[in-house]
Amino acid sequence: MTDLSDFSGHEITGSGDILDLSSHQKNLLLVRPLLRLDFNKLSHTRDDGSYLLEGIDTNYLCLAALYYMMEGTALHQGFTRREVIDHLKGLAGTMQEGLDELSRQRIAEIVLDTLSNASNKYVEHKESYFHAPSGQMHTIKFRLIRFEADHEDVYRYAPTREGYLVLMGMLDLEVEDYQVLIEKMLLHLIERGRFQQALELAGRARALSIEHRQQIRDFIIQNARAPGSVTWRKDINPRLSEARGHVEERQSVDHAMKESLTKKIRDSDSFDAKGALSGLHKLLEAANFQRMKLQVEISSAGDKFLEGQAAGFRPRRSSGLPDLEIKTLPEVMSKPVQLMAGIAESLLVSFYPAVAPKVQDLSNLFDVLLERRTRSEVQEEEDDDGEISEFPEVPPPFAPELIAKVHSWLDSKMLIGTPLYLDQVLKDAEEAGLSFMERKAVGYELYRAFADSESRYPHLHAQVAGEYESPVVSGDNLRFDPAAPNEEVSREDQ
């Protein structure tokens, strides 16, 4: 079995000790042409020296151009240059209503030239990045758009694969939805035999598991800090129940994928395929380990919430120091001003705590301060006041008449000076015709006599003498010997 503790402290890759982030770097470099235009906006000026792109969001215009070209591929094979320019001119005019026709035309052309790399003779964009497995700098070449002729020899713009990746890679999905999407893609890649791509995607799945666990952990911690301002049934329990169900579904999918991978590893003859499959199996184990820890945190959230609520009702511990408001401050205020001015500095220092209180983490403090609080809707008060269960009254196990009869019979037996055994007394009670409940009362009274302070017979001392088992009682067998003079307990003391 794989030791899951190996996955808790570091990233797991198939590339040795150094972490391979090549796919992340490539995706990040795809937006560098857009960022470069935004960074160099002030380099574009009008004839009068004013800045052409001041107040213009070039990032939006670039993404809007890619999206417009994508829509064009659904109708034709893309849009012509004039159609793209007109669309961008309209967007630029929306951003700044006072723009003239020439300015809007130039802005549209600058955006289109940036996407097509016109400043570098329309060749591919070229960016460098550090390739961790080889330890060297590599170069990535890509195009964001293409300008090709359709079947009617009309040249049209359309996004390339990298252009689609810029658009689709920035979708703002919830982490739970993203996990489901990644799992479906993993299953598809594994079934198609594209194990290397599945290995890269499994790294994202593990990162998503960590992100989801962090979100739920922050939610639990935030509510545990202020248990009086939230309601468990309405505010906390639904979110945790939803998270618990989501984690259970992901674990079942992980289990199915790991079984499929194990079978493919056994059946595969390719060494490279086995290596990729083994790395993929380890990453799935690591993602599942994060979900297991999240399950533990969700299960213990209720106890933490109850501890926080109980702390709010915990009384303050009494202190031997004088009360500050009742005794100390009134006496200080009654002193002359000159005297107080002389001791003010040392007095103020004495008010400081001996140990400085812990300061809240700044990131959490800013989250609390910047949190947008929605106005709570006034809801009708619920009539559910809870239920109060009455404690059932447990009747005494033995009736007073039965106890009196047992004491009368047992007193005569316990006056015998010779050692007595519990099993022998119960046997004598059965021979004397005592009922089952009467014999049970006899056993109860003899076990009670094991403690000298509770014994009805102070002249006897009980000690354990083996074990005894019968339908009436079961436990240690007791032996009663005459008590020593210093051990005898008088009736008055009892």
Side-chain angles (χ1 to χ4, degrees):
M1 181 179 294
T2 305
D3 185 7
L4 296 182
S5 62
D6 296 341
F7 307 126
S8 59
H10 60 275
E11 291 280 357
I12 298 171
T13 68
S15 310
D17 295 333
I18 190 167
L19 183 62
D20 184 14
L21 297 174
S22 301
S23 60
H24 302 73
Q25 293 172 280
K26 292 178 182 178
N27 294 340
L28 184 62
L29 292 175
L30 295 180
V31 299
R32 181 171 285 183
L34 283 65
L35 300 179
R36 188 179 291 115
L37 172 61
D38 182 70
F39 183 76
N40 298 322
K41 281 199 302 185
L42 300 183
S43 63
H44 300 276
T45 59
R46 298 184 179 91
D47 295 337
D48 58 359
S50 60
Y51 298 116
L52 176 64
L53 297 179
E54 187 176 9
I56 299 296
D57 189 347
T58 55
N59 292 330
Y60 175 83
L61 291 179
C62 291
L63 293 175
L66 288 173
Y67 193 85
Y68 183 68
M69 295 174 189
M70 182 185 69
E71 293 291 335
T73 58
L75 301 176
H76 310 286
Q77 290 184 1
F79 283 123
T80 63
R81 179 179 176 84
R82 174 49 48 194
E83 291 171 331
V84 175
I85 291 291
D86 291 342
H87 179 70
L88 292 175
K89 285 168 59 179
L91 294 177
T94 303
M95 291 183 182
Q96 283 191 6
E97 297 181 356
L99 287 175
D100 55 22
E101 178 67 20
L102 180 59
S103 297
R104 289 189 286 130
Q105 177 75 20
R106 285 190 59 194
I107 292 173
E109 291 176 352
I110 290 173
V111 171
L112 192 57
D113 291 345
T114 298
L115 294 175
S116 57
N117 200 16
S119 61
N120 199 18
K121 300 180 181 180
Y122 298 97
V123 298
E124 296 173 321
H125 294 281
K126 184 188 300 184
E127 304 291 346
S128 301
Y129 68 97
F130 175 70
H131 186 246
S134 63
Q136 300 176 353
M137 296 297 294
H138 282 202
T139 301
I140 176 177
K141 297 180 179 180
F142 61 92
R143 294 183 185 273
L144 296 177
I145 58 175
R146 62 174 184 267
F147 190 53
E148 298 176 347
D150 60 7
H151 61 280
E152 297 179 353
D153 290 335
V154 177
Y155 281 85
R156 300 179 182 275
Y157 283 105
T160 61
R161 175 182 175 275
E162 289 80 6
Y164 279 107
L165 186 58
V166 170
L167 283 176
M168 299 298 120
M170 296 183 181
L171 293 178
D172 187 14
L173 296 177
E174 295 291 339
V175 63
E176 293 88 350
D177 300 331
Y178 209 172
Q179 283 182 319
V180 176
L181 178 62
I182 291 292
E183 285 173 357
K184 293 185 180 299
M185 295 175 64
L186 272 175
L187 289 172
H188 174 75
L189 293 175
I190 292 173
E191 293 300 326
R192 294 294 183 90
R194 297 159 64 179
F195 303 131
Q196 194 62 39
Q197 290 179 321
L199 181 61
E200 296 178 1
L201 203 60
R204 296 190 191 180
R206 179 178 179 272
L208 288 172
S209 300
I210 298 175
E211 180 185 359
H212 185 236
R213 181 190 170 202
Q214 183 64 38
Q215 287 184 0
I216 300 300
R217 183 195 297 169
D218 292 343
F219 174 76
I220 294 173
I221 294 175
Q222 184 177 3
N223 289 283
R225 286 175 176 171
S229 61
V230 293
T231 305
W232 174 268
R233 184 175 60 181
K234 295 181 180 179
D235 302 328
I236 303 178
N237 190 48
R239 175 74 183 277
L240 294 184
S241 299
E242 181 181 352
R244 187 182 295 108
H246 175 78
V247 171
E248 290 176 354
E249 291 179 4
R250 303 286 72 74
Q251 287 179 325
S252 62
V253 174
D254 286 348
H255 180 70
M257 282 196 292
K258 287 189 291 185
E259 287 188 345
S260 176
L261 285 175
T262 303
K263 185 176 183 301
K264 288 184 178 296
I265 291 174
R266 294 171 181 170
D267 299 340
S268 177
D269 297 329
S270 172
F271 180 78
D272 294 337
K274 283 189 175 182
L277 288 171
S278 299
L280 182 57
H281 192 278
K282 289 183 178 180
L283 283 174
L284 290 178
E285 287 277 10
N288 190 50
F289 178 65
Q290 295 295 329
R291 297 191 179 103
M292 289 171 58
K293 293 200 291 187
L294 178 57
Q295 282 279 39
V296 175
E297 293 173 358
I298 292 176
S299 301
S300 61
D303 296 334
K304 292 182 179 178
F305 185 78
L306 289 177
E307 290 177 1
Q309 283 195 325
F313 295 97
R314 190 172 296 138
R316 296 175 60 184
R317 291 181 295 180
S318 58
S319 173
L321 299 175
D323 189 271
L324 184 65
E325 296 181 356
I326 298 177
K327 185 174 180 60
T328 306
L329 289 181
E331 291 183 0
V332 169
M333 296 302 294
S334 64
K335 301 297 182 182
V337 177
Q338 294 81 2
L339 177 62
M340 294 304 302
I343 64 172
E345 184 175 356
S346 59
L347 182 64
L348 291 176
V349 172
S350 66
F351 286 157
Y352 294 154
V355 179
K358 294 183 179 179
V359 181
Q360 189 178 20
D361 184 70
L362 285 180
S363 59
N364 295 335
L365 181 61
F366 288 145
D367 289 341
V368 173
L369 294 177
L370 299 177
E371 181 183 2
R372 185 183 297 274
R373 297 186 179 273
T374 57
R375 181 177 298 177
S376 58
E377 299 179 358
V378 180
Q379 300 180 355
E380 297 181 0
E381 296 184 358
E382 298 182 0
D383 297 333
D384 185 12
D385 295 331
E387 297 181 358
I388 299 178
S389 301
E390 295 183 359
F391 286 103
E393 185 177 354
V394 180
F398 307 110
E401 297 80 5
L402 185 144
I403 295 176
K405 180 180 178 181
V406 167
H407 282 171
S408 176
W409 182 85
L410 192 58
D411 289 346
S412 61
K413 296 290 293 183
M414 302 302 285
L415 291 177
I416 303 175
T418 57
L420 295 173
Y421 289 88
L422 181 143
D423 56 351
Q424 186 61 42
V425 174
L426 290 177
K427 184 177 180 181
D428 294 343
E430 185 178 4
E431 293 176 353
L434 270 67
S435 65
F436 176 82
M437 290 301 297
E438 291 171 344
R439 284 181 284 140
K440 193 170 185 180
V442 170
Y444 178 83
E445 189 64 41
L446 293 179
Y447 276 123
R448 182 184 176 188
F450 181 75
D452 293 337
S453 60
E454 297 289 335
S455 177
R456 180 180 174 83
Y457 309 103
H459 63 288
L460 296 177
H461 176 70
Q463 57 184 357
V464 178
E467 296 181 354
Y468 173 66
E469 184 174 357
S470 71
V472 180
V473 296
S474 177
D476 293 328
N477 192 14
L478 299 181
R479 172 179 171 174
F480 294 89
D481 296 314
N486 57 346
E487 294 181 355
E488 187 172 342
V489 182
S490 64
R491 289 291 182 186
E492 290 79 3
D493 294 339
Q494 290 190 27

